[in-house]
């Protein structure tokens, strides 16, 4: 039994994901937005690599059935219905719709994960729900990888801290567990900020950039631990809610 943390896509190798249960973390903001959209009744989220891919994908759906969503440089693209702010993915905006989402790092990280047994989308807003799913997978004998989307394939402080929180919760009282060094480092970062997630976000480069771009309220949403207790599972190129009909 082991939990490995990958600090950014530049470190990701096929062994990190093959046959494992993988949690993809992009706290600011894609993971959070996905949890919010699913809780608010989105039928599914389809992650895509680029805005062009999102538009191409939308052509397979009826106009009223989807929302085109996402960001580049934090802002909604022209012709898109929604940006990547969790505050935009309200029930009114997404209920009953398929959200076709493209973001700079988060959706790319999801698309980069290959060969996993299960892929789940993790953030602070669904911390306890996703931790419980991961812990049960671990106790059932699965190895876990926590893949931080990071920033431009590199380390991002907020994703590392969130990974550390997951390591802490998932590994509690499991004596025979192995952790890689990144998992140990992530727990130290989590401990440094503790429950003061606004201090974490206001320290991290992407958190500061979001605040400067007018998205300070998004930081508050992303810091609301367990406010959207959903388990988003990525399978067959779409993300849906784990429910009674889709138990692991
Ligand atoms: C990403 O995927 O890079 C982020 O979610 C960017 C953002 O904050 O919108």
């Amino acid at each position: 039994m082991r939990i490995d943390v990958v600090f950014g896509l530049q470190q990701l190798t096929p062994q990190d994901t093959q046959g494992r249960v993988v949690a993809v973390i992009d706290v600011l903001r894609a993971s959070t937005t996905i949890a919010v959209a699913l809780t608010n009744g989105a039928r599914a989220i389809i992650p895509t690599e680029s805005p062009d891919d999102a538009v191409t994908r939308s052509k397979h759906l009826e106009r009223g059935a989807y929302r085109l969503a996402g960001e580049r440089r934090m802002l909604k693209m022209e012709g898109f219905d929604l940006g990547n702010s969790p505050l935009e993915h309200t029930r009114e905006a997404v209920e009953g719709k398929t959200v076709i989402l493209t973001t700079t790092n988060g959706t790319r990280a999801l698309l980069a994960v290959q060969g996993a047994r299960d892929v789940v989308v993790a953030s602070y807003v669904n911390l306890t729900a996703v931790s419980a799913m991961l812990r049960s997978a671990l106790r059932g004998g699965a190895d876990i990888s926590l893949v931080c989307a990071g920033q431009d394939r590199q380390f991002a402080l907020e994703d590392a801290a969130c990974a550390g929180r997951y390591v802490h919760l998932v590994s509690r009282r499991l004596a025979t567990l192995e952790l890689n060094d990144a998992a140990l480092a992530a727990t130290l970062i989590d401990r440094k900020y503790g429950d003061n997630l606004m201090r974490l976000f206001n320290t991290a480069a992407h958190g500061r950039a979001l605040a400067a771009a007018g998205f300070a309220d998004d930081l508050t949403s992303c810091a609301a631990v367990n406010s959207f207790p959903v388990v988003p599972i990525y399978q067959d190129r779409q993300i849906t809610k784990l429910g009674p009909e889709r138990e692991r």
Side-chain angles (χ1 to χ4, degrees), residues 211-234:
F215 293 113
D217 288 348
D218 284 15
L219 301 183
T220 311
S221 302
C222 294
V225 175
N226 291 329
S227 53
F228 292 89
V230 69
V231 178
I233 295 285
Y234 180 39

Side-chain angles (χ1 to χ4, degrees), residues 7 25-28 32 123-125 127 148 155-166 185-211 216 218-220 222-225:
F7 275 146
I25 301 174
D26 182 15
V27 172
L28 299 176
T32 303
S123 64
Y124 286 111
V125 298
L127 179 71
C148 299
F155 181 92
L157 185 66
E158 69 280 7
D159 291 342
C162 186
R165 184 69 63 96
Y166 274 94
T187 61
L188 295 177
I189 296 167
D190 170 50
R191 244 182 273 155
K192 158 123 182 110
Y193 291 96
D195 290 332
N196 197 343
L197 298 184
M198 289 311 287
R199 187 161 79 90
L200 167 68
F201 293 164
N202 287 322
T203 305
H206 190 51
R208 286 184 280 116
L210 282 166
D218 284 15
L219 301 183
T220 311
C222 294
V225 175

Side-chain angles (χ1 to χ4, degrees), residues 86-105:
L87 297 175
E88 286 179 70
H89 289 246
T90 58
R91 187 162 287 280
E92 198 180 19
V94 302
E95 188 166 33
K97 311 289 181 193
T98 296
V99 176
I100 305 174
L101 183 69
T102 179
T103 73
T104 310
N105 302 289

Side-chain angles (χ1 to χ4, degrees), residues 7-29:
F7 275 146
L9 292 189
Q10 89 286 356
Q11 290 179 0
L12 188 67
T13 66
Q15 295 93 293
D16 293 319
T17 56
Q18 195 63 44
R20 291 186 171 211
V21 175
V22 176
V24 173
I25 301 174
D26 182 15
V27 172
L28 299 176
R29 298 168 288 175

